[in-house]
Amino acid sequence: MSETPQLGGFVRLLPLTIDDLPEHPSLPGPGVLGKSPPSEQTSHQQAQKSSTQGSSRRPPLEFINSVLTEALTFADSTLDATFKPLSEKSASGSTAKVKLLKGEFSSEQTNAGLQSASSLRSTTTTKAPAETWFARRSRHENALRQGTATWDEFDHYLRDDHSETEKAYTPDIKYSHTALDWDPELKGKNVSNFSDIKMHITEMFYTMPVGLDPRVFSVLVITAKTASTQLDAASSSPQDFIVVQIPIDIRALPGAFFSNGKNLTEGTQSLEKKKPVLAIYTSVERAKLLGDNTIEWTMATASNAGGILPMWAQKLGVPPAIVKDVGLFFDLMATTRPAAAA
């Protein structure tokens, strides 16, 4: 029996800090930005301090390689080794059924993963919490028709334009805001088995059921094409990609909008001006074009919406929501095609 892969320290529910981020032209060195929203004066002081102390942040490609390697192991090994099947569901809008799975990780396991990355991310006094993950896996015809999508559509909308696509097909996401973007620095650069890499921080503003405050999920999003090296003939994948979303605390990041309260005074709509609950979310998404010309689509996620919503209620809502997302994506694809192809 193969040994269960150890959890890593990045794809966790414990948020990254700004100090964990790699080099970026607008970021000062670690320790300069605090945990509170910066004022105009403190931002100026931070810029001055940054210019004199230099950066000790990791190079972006080194950071990305660590995160994506961990995420790839999670998607291709940990999920199959540790998640248990729940059921198979039909998804409205999809011609294929969706398999649901569940993974439980104790705080001992998640903390061991955190310690394995202690030299790569900042240490905190907060211990990593136990995590409950839900995953879905489905296989789709590679075709330009209702209820499915082509590989090019999967690749463009889920990898190349992930955050905007997620906002477009998710009814509860009302606003998305890019707080920081590494794409100009990463253009044309590859690392290890990863190519066409993109990385940004985005804030997703969600509305909730009546009586609950809106939520904002701030995530570091990394997407890349992958070149798998351990695929057998049955699962040979000529093309595949991975998408990772990791929670991050950006309350002190000048480019934030919802997390630091700028929306309260700078928002242009009444909903946009509402004070949200800061929530956390992590996910790994994987798509493979298989040798039989079908597309395997896997997504695993863990989250905590915070506020007064109890965790048991949140856990009940995740499986049907992630199944629904499959059909919502294909419904969106139908609206992007010429009428004859939709």
Side-chain angles (χ1 to χ4, degrees):
M1 184 175 178
S2 60
E3 189 175 318
T4 301
Q6 181 180 340
L7 297 180
F10 286 105
V11 189
R12 302 268 61 84
L13 267 183
L14 186 66
L16 296 173
T17 69
I18 295 175
D19 283 351
D20 294 321
L21 294 173
E23 295 170 347
H24 186 278
S26 70
L27 285 177
V32 177
L33 292 175
K35 294 184 178 181
S36 302
S39 65
E40 185 175 339
Q41 181 180 7
T42 57
S43 294
H44 176 67
Q45 291 169 343
Q46 289 160 355
Q48 287 184 318
K49 186 175 179 181
S50 167
S51 65
T52 58
Q53 74 171 42
S55 174
S56 58
R57 295 179 182 274
R58 299 174 70 193
L61 288 178
E62 180 184 314
F63 173 86
I64 287 167
N65 190 44
S66 296
V67 174
L68 291 183
T69 299
E70 176 186 320
L72 204 61
T73 298
F74 188 87
D76 290 353
S77 301
T78 306
L79 195 151
D80 289 329
T82 60
F83 281 52
K84 296 180 180 179
L86 291 178
S87 60
E88 188 173 66
K89 300 287 186 180
S90 296
S92 177
S94 171
T95 56
K97 289 193 172 182
V98 181
K99 294 179 180 179
L100 282 169
L101 307 97
K102 181 180 181 180
E104 299 271 12
F105 300 103
S106 67
S107 58
E108 288 77 14
Q109 289 175 298
T110 57
N111 275 294
L114 194 63
Q115 290 305 310
S116 72
S118 60
S119 64
L120 304 176
R121 60 174 290 176
S122 63
T123 56
T124 69
T125 55
T126 305
K127 291 185 177 180
E131 296 174 358
T132 298
W133 286 70
F134 292 96
R136 57 169 166 80
R137 178 171 285 160
S138 49
R139 187 170 289 194
H140 305 276
E141 184 183 8
N142 178 17
L144 190 70
R145 60 172 61 118
Q146 186 73 37
T148 189
T150 66
W151 174 254
D152 286 344
E153 288 175 318
F154 268 88
D155 184 59
H156 173 71
Y157 288 98
L158 291 181
R159 179 191 62 81
D160 194 46
D161 199 19
H162 182 83
S163 294
E164 285 305 308
T165 298
E166 192 169 60
K167 176 179 177 292
Y169 75 69
T170 307
D172 292 337
I173 300 179
K174 302 304 180 183
Y175 307 102
S176 66
H177 172 75
T178 301
L180 200 61
D181 187 350
W182 279 262
D183 290 352
E185 287 72 36
L186 295 173
K187 187 174 182 179
K189 295 181 180 179
N190 305 327
V191 61
S192 187
N193 293 321
F194 308 109
S195 60
D196 286 358
I197 301 164
K198 290 191 171 185
M199 181 166 67
H200 64 271
I201 295 174
T202 190
E203 297 172 290
M204 291 292 196
F205 184 102
Y206 281 71
T207 54
M208 301 291 284
V210 176
L212 295 175
D213 293 325
R215 264 54 173 177
V216 161
F217 295 85
S218 300
V219 285
L220 176 68
V221 184
I222 308 176
T223 68
K225 292 181 179 179
T226 57
S228 298
T229 58
Q230 298 178 332
L231 294 168
D232 57 32
S235 63
S236 179
S237 176
Q239 297 186 66
D240 48 301
F241 64 79
I242 191 163
V243 177
V244 188
Q245 299 189 92
I246 305 173
I248 180 166
D249 183 350
I250 59 169
R251 288 174 292 172
L253 190 67
F257 184 70
F258 295 103
S259 301
N260 58 11
K262 282 184 183 178
N263 65 301
L264 302 180
T265 56
E266 298 180 18
T268 58
Q269 300 175 332
S270 58
L271 178 61
E272 192 180 22
K273 291 184 176 183
K274 286 192 173 182
K275 184 178 181 179
V277 173
L278 301 184
I280 52 176
Y281 167 94
T282 186
S283 70
V284 176
E285 196 160 357
R286 191 93 161 92
K288 302 177 182 180
L289 178 60
L290 302 179
D292 61 0
N293 200 37
T294 61
I295 299 167
E296 183 182 77
W297 184 13
T298 303
M299 195 280 292
T301 182
S303 61
N304 186 346
I308 63 172
L309 191 62
M311 186 56 70
W312 65 263
Q314 295 183 44
K315 291 178 181 179
L316 286 177
V318 173
I322 62 176
V323 170
K324 186 178 180 180
D325 284 346
V326 175
L328 289 174
F329 172 69
F330 293 135
D331 287 345
L332 175 65
M333 291 303 93
T335 68
T336 67
R337 302 166 181 160

